[in-house]
Amino acid sequence: MELQLALDLVDIPGAKQVVAEVAEYVDIVEIGTPVVINEGLRAVKEIKEAFPSLRVLADLKIMDAGGYEVMKASEAGADIITVLGVSDDSTIKGAVEEAAKQGKKIMVDMINVKDIEGRAAEIDALGVDYICVHSGYDHQADGKNSFEELAAIKRVVKQAKTAIAGGIKLNTLPEVIKANPDLVIVGGGITGLEDKKTAAAEMKRLVSQA
């Protein structure tokens, strides 16, 4: 089980500062959609250059032009790129094909997918690398979490790795680990704390034991 740090509410200097604090305890650094909107793919490039030993995920949430957008993210140094599960199969196929050419990986974000189990089976067959259940910011405000969705995709996914994101904190991490995803994605549960390093270290310890 691996740990991904999601950076959403920072600029590039802020992102570098956070990653420097916790780099030894995370496997993947996610340049979140708000950072890409504010800073562009330059944020991916600069974090990859500053921390070459870490994998960098570009959370583009691709909905169309999958091949082209994966190509551009790859050029910026992204190791993993996200595509939305609600997008057309052709978009996901295009993303998967381009990622294979570039030696990159595709994560499909299942946010707002209605038939989680059915769609996960379809997406798994398209050859993606990760399928992620995701309680988005607006979902969390309504008190939703993704444990049931994770269980649903784990029933049907045969090839892709599974991931979970959304509102995960140190006190909820044991419950997440019990659900047995391959990848745990944490944002504010690390970045929102004063002592980020201690929180990341403890999360990494728990995740590594699973």
Side-chain angles (χ1 to χ4, degrees):
M1 199 178 291
E2 291 189 310
L3 182 62
Q4 176 172 311
L5 172 70
L7 299 171
D8 284 319
L9 302 175
V10 287
D11 54 15
I12 291 171
K16 287 180 179 174
Q17 194 177 336
V18 173
V19 178
E21 282 184 62
V22 303
E24 64 190 293
Y25 303 114
V26 300
D27 301 291
I28 300 167
V29 175
E30 171 189 329
I31 305 303
T33 316
V35 181
V36 175
I37 287 169
N38 289 326
E39 298 276 17
L41 285 169
R42 192 167 59 92
V44 172
K45 187 170 189 290
E46 291 204 24
I47 292 295
K48 188 64 181 179
E49 286 171 355
F51 304 94
S53 64
L54 289 174
R55 282 168 283 158
V56 175
L57 178 144
D59 189 19
L60 301 190
K61 294 189 174 73
I62 293 168
M63 187 71 181
D64 188 25
Y68 177 78
E69 296 196 5
V70 167
M71 179 181 70
K72 300 313 287 183
S74 299
E75 286 172 2
D79 299 288
I80 308 168
I81 302 105
T82 65
V83 181
L84 290 177
V86 293
S87 60
D88 193 80
D89 282 4
S90 61
T91 300
I92 297 172
K93 280 182 194 164
V96 167
E97 284 165 13
E98 185 62 31
K101 277 189 219 163
Q102 305 285 348
K104 310 298 185 181
K105 295 191 183 303
I106 295 297
M107 177 185 285
V108 172
D109 185 331
M110 301 294 278
I111 192 166
N112 283 348
V113 169
K114 299 300 180 216
D115 174 13
I116 285 280
E117 200 167 323
R119 187 63 176 142
E122 292 170 354
I123 289 167
D124 189 42
L126 297 175
V128 306
D129 301 283
Y130 296 88
I131 298 177
C132 178
V133 292
H134 182 187
S135 288
Y137 185 79
D138 297 333
H139 290 164
Q140 290 170 47
D142 293 335
K144 293 176 184 168
N145 70 50
S146 296
F147 295 125
E148 282 177 24
E149 292 183 345
L150 179 61
I153 70 167
K154 284 187 76 70
R155 283 194 291 272
V156 296
V157 169
K158 301 205 167 39
Q159 300 172 79
K161 292 182 174 177
T162 58
I164 185 168
I168 298 167
K169 298 180 170 54
L170 192 53
N171 65 339
T172 60
L173 186 58
E175 191 183 352
V176 173
I177 289 168
K178 259 188 250 173
N180 199 33
D182 297 295
L183 178 63
V184 177
I185 302 170
V186 180
I190 292 173
T191 61
L193 303 179
E194 202 164 312
D195 188 353
K196 298 170 184 58
K197 189 169 184 173
T198 299
E202 180 61 11
M203 286 188 169
K204 181 60 179 170
R205 186 184 71 79
L206 292 169
V207 163
S208 298
Q209 287 176 347

